[in-house]
Amino acid sequence: MVRKVPADFDPERYRAEHPDVALSGLEPAEHYLLFGRIMGRRSAPARELPVTPAPEPTKAKPDPPEPNETRPAEKPLAPKERPKPIIDRPADFEPEQALVRPAPPKPGADKNGRFALARLAEEVAADAGHGLGAFRRMFGIDAAKNAPAIGLGAAQILRGPARVENAWLTADGVLRLMIADYGGETDGWTVRAYDADAAEPAQLQLLGPGASLPERGPVLVEFQLRHRLMPLLLEISNGSGAVKEVALLPFPSLLPGGLHNAELRALQSESNPMDAFWSLSDLLLRELVGEPNSSELSIGRLSRFQAAEPAASAFDGDIEQWLTAVFGFQRSEGDGKSLARRNGAADLLLPSDCIPTISSLVSRSLSGRGTSPYLIADSETLRPRWSVVLPAAWDAKGTAPVVGPSGRDGAPSVHVAIALRAPPAPSLSTGSARKKSRARRKLSVLLDSTHPDRSKAAVAALRTAIGSELDLLVRVSGEEASFRSVIDGAWKVVDADLPSVAAQAKHDQLLTITDQVDLSDGSVLDTLAGMLKNKKVASASCLLLREVLLKKQKVLQPATGGLFPAGVSFATSPSLTFAEPDVLQALPDLTYPVVANTLQLTLWRTSALASLPKPSRPLPASASDISIGLALAERGLVSLCTTKVSARLNRDYEPRDAIDPIGQSRLALQDWQQLLGCVTLLRQMF
Amino acid sequence: MAAALPEARAGDRKRVVFLLNLLQDLNIVRGLVYLTARETDADILLLVSHGFLKRDRLNGWQSEVAVLAADTNASIFLYGSPIEATAALKGGTGIIFAGSESSLLAHWETSDVFRAAPPGYVRVTLQHGIECVGFLQSREHLMSHGRNVSFGADIVCGWMELPALTSMVASERAKLVVTGPPTLLQSPGGFPAKTQTTGLVCENLHSVRLRASGDHKAAFMDIFFAFAAALAARGEGVTLRPHPGGQYVLKNNVALPANVGLNNRPIFDVNLKAYRFGISAPSTIVLDMVLAGIPVGVWRDPAGVMDASTYDGLTAISTLDDWLAFERDLVLRPDMILERQRAFLERLRMPINPAEIYHRFARLIVGLLSGVNVRASAAPADGPKPRPAALSGEKLVQVPA
């Protein structure tokens, strides 16, 4: 049935009353029939209709306070009619009760706030837990030999009425403690903090006056730190000034805002991050200053990321001072630049582009285990973003820094990283920096053509990069004739799967490329060819970048850097799913094995491709590359990708995410372990 | 008497700053602004985002901000970028409150201010609804926003105890201070007593609740129109209240039957007690109406797809027959409905005594202000300047500094 507008429909009025009509480009009558009628819009002047006028979108219509009036009132409430804004102050509340006041001067401290460690030890009640023993051991103070049990000594601060609910560091080096609502139990208590200079650790330094707690919490207590990494002592005193407890914060940089907070986040094993902070601090402290046989952490393998940079160059005076005073590192006698552990048990060469985790610094033994995950942290916030596991067989050059903590029986329980690494700024090929290929080579090329003009440009770039030995095969989508007229030189049309095409290729290496890839930088081919020198490597690809419009600006973003295992799907039978994550963040400046390389730009070993069986059934286009990668992996061959070089896509590309392209059990359950053991595993952390 | 706060350093002023970005933020922070003015001698700043001005299509909320500023002697500043907000924050230390802040893209205007805030400020995020991203999420929230919502704040003020806040991720739990809803600080009094004749139906059709697990909007409006028609046949009316954040029926210019009135005033100007009943899809307004003591029906889609589990125990209504039966029960067995609501409040594990909530917030604000003692960041010589604002007509506009 053809609908008609009502006889009294007024198109001009309808257009005037509804601004979206003009924006839609539709005639008012057409708009009314398509949308307005369904939305209940009136078709004629309101006065002619029995319905209530709809509210105007451009003018407020305040409602009366009385609900029995069913139409909006025309005027808002007069100010005098406004209700009282908030409730009265409760009779038992006095703001003075909640004020945090500076603590009284510490008896025995000099005018500069210096206070002897020995005196503080005398003041602590004998039966109170305290962290002074561990503090002395951390700094190797003589009396440490007789120091009591090791521990943080923070019964009140961990679990007592003065429990620290939260703590964090601000950008300007202030430690903030949120102390619980203790219900009046700690009235008159004071909190003070001390640190010590590495050169004179027995002489403590008060960090400000401290704070007197009010009757009720929660309260904020803050201390301006003198050093962003050095251990701290927190003292709790009662109303009469007697010290109740001295707690040790051995590694304050684990707190939010600190240099090592990413490590805490990555290893958080307690449901509450403050509990996790205390438990990890205790674990690391015991490893650092515990008995010789009490080791719970062991380093799997030590390495450095980049040998070119002198290790110590990344550390300023503060960090070197901390590494020396707390962890026993010294400038190596050999080159005078590297930092090495004093006892020599582990020759830890600190990487120049990383922040060593405390776990790696305190660890005292080598486990001999294989690879473990390491973390890539956000460069600004140091929040761990990616957990990376490189396969052991591939990591022969020590690319991944690893620390594998193991239990007493040698079995690993958790993994920690040696370093938090911020991804370097990407060095992207640009027009002005484009290089020419260093060497002409014999190469077969399979060009997937989607558009004549783009194909023409792609072939021109290929001939420049490869030269006269180009064996060009073209797979066209669309009319072949339209491509014939624009693509120069000799080329051959193919229409087959990749293994079949490889069988037709003249040369040992076959490049698959689409006309959406800008291959102006010929050095990309040199890099890929270099990766194929290893006979185990069947395919080599590189990071592909795409242009994205972001806030009116074109920016380059990673499109693909190979396919990785992403998860498990139970949609049919259990099967692995795959994804194309942002490898620029996770694997910067690295060559790594993947499940498969995309067909967008990959250099293949022709013989490896040709040996693959033809697909028994048609696969979706999005699955062909994964299918080939899995088939190669079954034959023990490796697909490599690199972020050391990159190429650009001139069309948009949507990275695939958690796809299950193979459908049925293409990869048998028992083969998962083998596959996962020989490709790079990425986990994006939150 | 207000607490005389210790000065951090000579010349530094203690400040309490409130970010207003979403329209509903005003209802969340309003009580705290008055409380701060009463209990402290700190300067009060209201930082209003361009997004707030843009969302206030009807120009009703900007004047409320101006009234609030006038009542509390607060200053209003506009900001379009975090740098402009930071310019207004420089030169002081204290607290920044945000009514809606998280790692979600929708909250970038406040989370960026938190990230850029000078270190002399303690950043506080307020839970802004009984179901709220990062605190307690429904299935529709999870579908739309995921499970890993975090906060840029140093402290988050929750309405309920931690075990009830099932969506608070592990890394955020230490930040929690349980305060209860700050909306309960606002005085419910001051309205004339009137005979209760109509009910209030609240729409939150913009919400992910109504679209994430299916398009439930049409079902809600169809039933509402049929319900209104049934009331009209008896010569009765009903009031419809659009959610301030969505204002669906206003934005879409939906024509309403003659017996349907609109109530679009800020919730603190609405006398909920005066309505005969309340009906809403799952939303914080349900809690408001329950606390107001009126019988409440919680709508969920007739197919039962929508997650309304947070409101389990309250009277659930789906079809038109349910709505009409609920409306009959108001007369026949109102105690049954109200008893369900009392039991619901007891199960919530949430402070609902306004005096207790006052205590908690007042101690928090005074305790934080007196604890912050670092030197304030100096205002930069160049770069954006603060943008003070005042009400002109119905709009907040920038005025000379």
Side-chain angles (χ1 to χ4, degrees):
Chain A
M1 186 181 75
V2 178
R3 286 188 180 274
K4 293 182 178 179
V5 294
D8 56 356
F9 182 75
D10 182 344
E12 289 311 313
R13 178 179 286 272
Y14 183 79
R15 188 200 300 272
E17 287 183 347
H18 306 293
D20 58 315
V21 177
L23 293 173
S24 71
L26 298 173
E27 289 300 317
E30 188 180 6
H31 188 280
Y32 175 79
L33 290 174
L34 283 173
F35 306 111
R37 181 182 55 79
I38 300 167
M39 295 166 72
R41 288 178 174 175
R42 59 197 175 198
S43 59
R47 63 180 181 277
E48 300 172 19
L49 292 174
V51 297
T52 308
E56 293 294 335
T58 54
K59 188 177 178 182
K61 288 187 176 179
D63 191 61
E66 293 77 25
N68 53 343
E69 296 178 23
T70 57
R71 303 312 311 165
E74 293 302 321
K75 292 181 180 179
L77 288 171
K80 64 180 180 183
E81 295 173 316
R82 295 174 66 88
K84 191 170 54 175
I86 58 170
I87 63 171
D88 293 332
R89 172 194 287 166
D92 57 346
F93 177 74
E94 281 297 329
E96 297 292 321
Q97 297 170 345
L99 281 176
V100 182
R101 301 179 191 280
K106 173 74 178 173
D110 69 14
K111 61 180 181 181
N112 295 319
R114 287 159 59 87
F115 191 80
L117 176 65
R119 177 161 180 175
L120 187 61
E122 290 170 7
E123 289 186 6
V124 181
D127 58 346
H130 59 80
L132 291 178
F135 182 82
R136 287 149 88 176
R137 287 199 186 198
M138 285 184 82
F139 285 104
I141 298 172
D142 289 343
K145 292 173 186 171
N146 301 317
I150 295 162
L152 305 173
Q156 298 294 329
I157 288 177
L158 264 65
R159 293 173 293 277
R163 172 187 162 91
V164 174
E165 297 278 10
N166 194 14
W168 67 96
L169 298 165
T170 68
D172 53 357
V174 172
L175 170 65
R176 289 198 167 127
L177 308 175
M178 275 292 289
I179 297 181
D181 178 10
Y182 31 76
E185 289 183 50
T186 58
D187 190 17
W189 286 21
T190 59
V191 182
R192 295 186 178 91
Y194 305 86
D195 73 355
D197 289 327
E200 197 180 6
Q203 192 65 47
L204 300 178
Q205 175 68 49
L206 272 166
L207 302 176
S212 287
L213 303 182
E215 280 184 30
R216 295 286 304 271
V219 295
L220 183 80
V221 177
E222 64 180 25
F223 300 100
Q224 178 71 56
L225 302 186
R226 297 192 309 148
H227 194 293
R228 53 187 163 154
L229 296 163
M230 283 291 185
L232 299 173
L233 290 168
L234 283 182
E235 173 205 287
I236 302 281
S237 306
N238 64 16
S240 60
V243 177
K244 291 184 68 66
E245 175 179 287
V246 176
L248 173 64
L249 273 70
F251 309 110
S253 59
L254 288 171
L255 289 169
L259 206 56
H260 293 98
N261 182 241
E263 186 177 359
L264 177 66
R265 282 171 176 256
L267 301 178
Q268 182 171 336
S269 56
E270 312 266 353
S271 65
N272 185 298
M274 270 316 289
D275 294 339
F277 167 75
W278 292 117
S279 63
L280 182 62
S281 294
D282 194 54
L283 176 72
L284 297 172
L285 177 68
R286 289 174 189 279
E287 181 68 16
L288 179 66
V289 300
E291 298 300 324
N293 296 325
S294 68
S295 178
E296 295 180 4
L297 297 172
S298 59
I299 297 177
R301 180 166 63 244
L302 298 179
S303 62
R304 54 182 172 179
F305 286 103
Q306 292 173 336
E309 290 288 323
S313 64
F315 307 116
D316 63 16
D318 270 6
I319 295 181
E320 186 173 341
Q321 187 185 44
W322 175 67
L323 291 168
T324 303
V326 177
F327 301 100
F329 282 83
Q330 287 185 329
R331 293 288 178 114
S332 73
E333 294 178 1
D335 59 9
K337 293 178 181 175
S338 305
L339 287 175
R341 195 186 292 275
R342 181 167 47 194
N343 61 17
D347 185 20
L348 181 56
L349 295 175
L350 297 177
S352 61
D353 60 346
C354 305
I355 300 162
T357 60
I358 296 174
S359 306
S360 64
L361 293 171
V362 302
S363 181
R364 289 178 290 166
S365 62
L366 290 164
S367 74
R369 294 274 310 165
T371 54
S372 300
Y374 67 99
L375 304 178
I376 297 291
D378 185 279
S379 57
E380 290 180 6
T381 64
L382 287 180
R383 185 180 177 188
R385 306 295 299 195
W386 294 91
S387 169
V388 181
V389 186
L390 289 170
W394 180 251
D395 191 35
K397 295 177 182 175
T399 312
V402 285
V403 179
S406 60
R408 294 182 191 283
D409 58 355
S413 51
V414 294
H415 296 287
V416 294
I418 192 172
L420 300 166
R421 189 180 193 201
S427 57
L428 306 175
S429 300
T430 61
S432 59
R434 285 172 181 168
K435 306 167 197 168
K436 289 188 176 179
S437 174
R438 287 192 294 272
R440 302 277 170 114
R441 61 187 69 255
K442 294 179 178 178
L443 204 61
S444 296
V445 174
L446 172 61
L447 173 67
D448 274 311
S449 296
T450 60
H451 190 277
D453 291 342
R454 284 199 294 270
S455 294
K456 181 181 180 183
V459 170
L462 284 167
R463 294 198 187 284
T464 304
I466 297 169
S468 59
E469 294 292 338
L470 172 63
D471 167 31
L472 183 58
L473 309 167
V474 181
R475 198 158 52 182
V476 299
S477 67
E479 287 294 325
E480 184 185 324
S482 59
F483 292 88
R484 284 274 173 211
S485 60
V486 296
I487 300 178
D488 298 330
W491 54 282
K492 180 180 170 187
V493 175
V494 292
D495 181 18
D497 56 84
L498 191 55
S500 302
V501 172
Q504 303 175 45
K506 291 180 182 173
H507 301 303
D508 295 340
Q509 295 179 349
L510 171 66
L511 178 73
T512 56
I513 186 170
T514 71
D515 62 5
Q516 299 173 354
V517 175
D518 179 357
L519 194 65
S520 305
D521 184 355
S523 67
V524 169
L525 289 183
D526 296 332
T527 304
L528 301 187
M531 292 157 67
L532 279 187
K533 284 180 181 172
N534 186 331
K535 299 289 183 190
K536 283 279 189 185
V537 178
S539 76
S541 185
C542 67
L543 172 68
L544 292 180
L545 300 163
R546 57 177 176 153
E547 275 189 0
V548 177
L549 196 61
L550 197 66
K551 293 183 179 176
K552 299 180 182 175
Q553 281 192 324
K554 280 186 177 177
V555 297
L556 285 177
Q557 283 191 347
T560 179
L563 284 141
F564 295 76
V568 175
S569 166
F570 292 95
T572 54
S573 55
S575 57
L576 281 181
T577 62
F578 305 93
E580 292 172 292
D582 179 355
V583 291
L584 197 55
Q585 276 190 10
L587 302 164
D589 195 28
L590 201 66
T591 300
Y592 48 89
V594 293
V595 173
N597 282 314
T598 170
L599 302 184
Q600 296 278 336
L601 175 67
T602 296
L603 191 61
W604 305 83
R605 190 176 302 284
T606 309
S607 57
L609 273 183
S611 69
L612 297 179
K614 293 182 180 179
S616 57
R617 58 190 171 84
L619 287 172
S622 61
S624 55
D625 48 6
I626 298 175
S627 176
I628 292 169
L630 290 173
L632 292 171
E634 281 178 1
R635 286 158 176 73
L637 296 171
V638 178
S639 299
L640 278 187
C641 194
T642 185
T643 51
K644 291 177 183 291
V645 293
S646 62
R648 287 168 68 164
L649 294 169
N650 52 34
R651 300 282 289 175
D652 196 14
Y653 181 89
E654 198 61 40
R656 287 168 282 179
D657 182 26
I659 48 173
D660 175 15
I662 308 299
Q664 299 296 325
S665 51
R666 168 67 182 79
L667 187 62
L669 205 59
Q670 59 270 26
D671 295 335
W672 288 9
Q673 186 176 359
Q674 183 189 349
L675 178 75
L676 297 178
C678 61
V679 299
T680 308
L681 303 179
L682 297 180
R683 179 168 74 97
Q684 188 163 17
M685 306 177 76
F686 296 97
Chain B
M1 192 185 91
L5 300 167
E7 295 251 325
R9 306 282 166 90
D12 288 350
R13 289 290 301 166
K14 293 288 178 69
R15 289 175 175 169
V16 181
V17 183
F18 296 90
L19 301 183
L20 294 169
N21 180 37
L22 304 181
L23 296 183
Q24 55 266 45
D25 290 348
L26 181 61
N27 183 47
I28 299 299
V29 305
R30 182 173 173 270
L32 295 178
V33 178
Y34 283 107
L35 185 150
T36 303
R38 180 189 287 171
E39 301 297 354
T40 77
D41 58 0
D43 295 340
I44 299 176
L45 274 62
L46 306 179
L47 256 61
V48 181
S49 75
H50 280 190
F52 186 95
L53 305 183
K54 193 175 170 186
R55 291 179 186 101
D56 185 17
R57 296 181 177 200
L58 304 182
N59 296 329
W61 298 79
Q62 296 171 64
S63 53
E64 293 291 347
V65 174
V67 169
L68 178 61
D71 283 355
T72 57
N73 199 25
S75 307
I76 304 174
F77 290 90
L78 303 179
Y79 74 93
S81 68
I83 301 174
E84 288 179 348
T86 306
L89 295 170
K90 295 274 187 184
T93 62
I95 315 171
I96 310 174
F97 282 102
S100 52
E101 183 276 327
S102 75
S103 56
L104 291 186
L105 191 61
H107 294 155
W108 69 271
E109 285 157 304
T110 44
S111 60
D112 277 4
V113 174
F114 272 16
R115 289 177 65 182
Y121 288 90
V122 178
R123 303 160 295 182
V124 183
T125 290
L126 302 166
Q127 184 175 349
H128 58 269
I130 186 170
E131 288 178 319
C132 181
V133 287
F135 292 91
L136 173 61
Q137 299 183 180
S138 67
R139 189 171 66 241
E140 284 77 18
H141 279 124
L142 293 175
M143 293 166 72
S144 297
H145 307 307
R147 296 176 182 275
N148 292 290
V149 180
S150 57
F151 305 101
D154 304 310
I155 295 170
V156 293
C157 292
W159 289 16
M160 289 168 274
E161 300 293 336
L162 181 58
L165 298 176
T166 52
S167 302
M168 184 164 277
V169 296
S171 63
E172 305 300 306
R173 290 175 193 158
K175 298 177 178 178
L176 178 67
V177 174
V178 180
T179 54
T183 48
L184 295 186
L185 295 172
Q186 298 178 109
S187 171
F191 297 105
K194 288 287 179 184
T195 308
Q196 299 175 353
T197 57
T198 69
L200 178 69
V201 177
C202 302
E203 65 91 348
N204 55 340
L205 299 178
H206 72 292
S207 167
V208 295
R209 165 89 62 191
L210 277 288
R211 54 187 161 85
S213 58
D215 185 1
H216 307 305
K217 297 192 289 292
F220 181 86
M221 288 308 288
D222 284 350
I223 295 171
F224 170 71
F225 282 131
F227 180 65
L231 294 179
R234 304 201 307 248
E236 296 177 8
V238 66
T239 300
L240 181 67
R241 175 176 171 74
H243 187 286
Q247 307 199 349
Y248 184 88
V249 296
L250 295 178
K251 284 182 183 174
N252 292 282
N253 220 5
V254 176
L256 299 172
N259 66 325
V260 175
L262 270 182
N263 185 333
N264 193 34
R265 296 197 60 78
I267 190 65
F268 50 80
D269 261 359
V270 177
N271 184 10
L272 290 173
K273 288 179 187 293
Y275 287 96
R276 196 161 67 89
F277 63 88
I279 290 175
S280 174
S283 172
T284 304
I285 192 72
V286 170
L287 178 67
D288 295 332
M289 294 190 292
V290 167
L291 288 170
I294 61 173
V296 179
V298 182
W299 181 80
R300 67 181 302 187
D301 60 299
V305 175
M306 185 189 296
D307 175 16
S309 55
T310 300
Y311 302 89
D312 277 351
L314 297 177
T315 305
I317 57 174
S318 291
T319 62
L320 176 62
D321 287 344
D322 295 338
W323 287 45
L324 295 173
F326 167 71
E327 202 254 347
R328 279 196 301 275
D329 283 343
L330 298 175
V331 179
L332 298 176
R333 45 187 81 86
D335 290 346
M336 175 194 73
I337 299 173
L338 295 175
E339 180 53 36
R340 288 173 180 165
Q341 295 176 191
R342 277 191 289 274
F344 169 75
L345 289 176
E346 285 176 8
R347 283 199 305 271
L348 265 187
R349 306 177 77 173
M350 181 172 85
I352 56 171
N353 178 359
E356 174 60 20
I357 294 170
Y358 192 104
H359 262 289
R360 295 187 184 205
F361 271 114
R363 285 203 305 266
L364 180 71
I365 292 172
V366 174
L368 290 181
L369 278 179
S370 57
V372 173
N373 288 303
V374 296
R375 181 180 293 279
S377 307
D382 51 3
K385 301 293 182 193
R387 297 172 54 199
L391 194 69
S392 172
E394 295 175 315
K395 295 182 179 243
L396 289 172
V397 295
Q398 187 175 342
V399 295

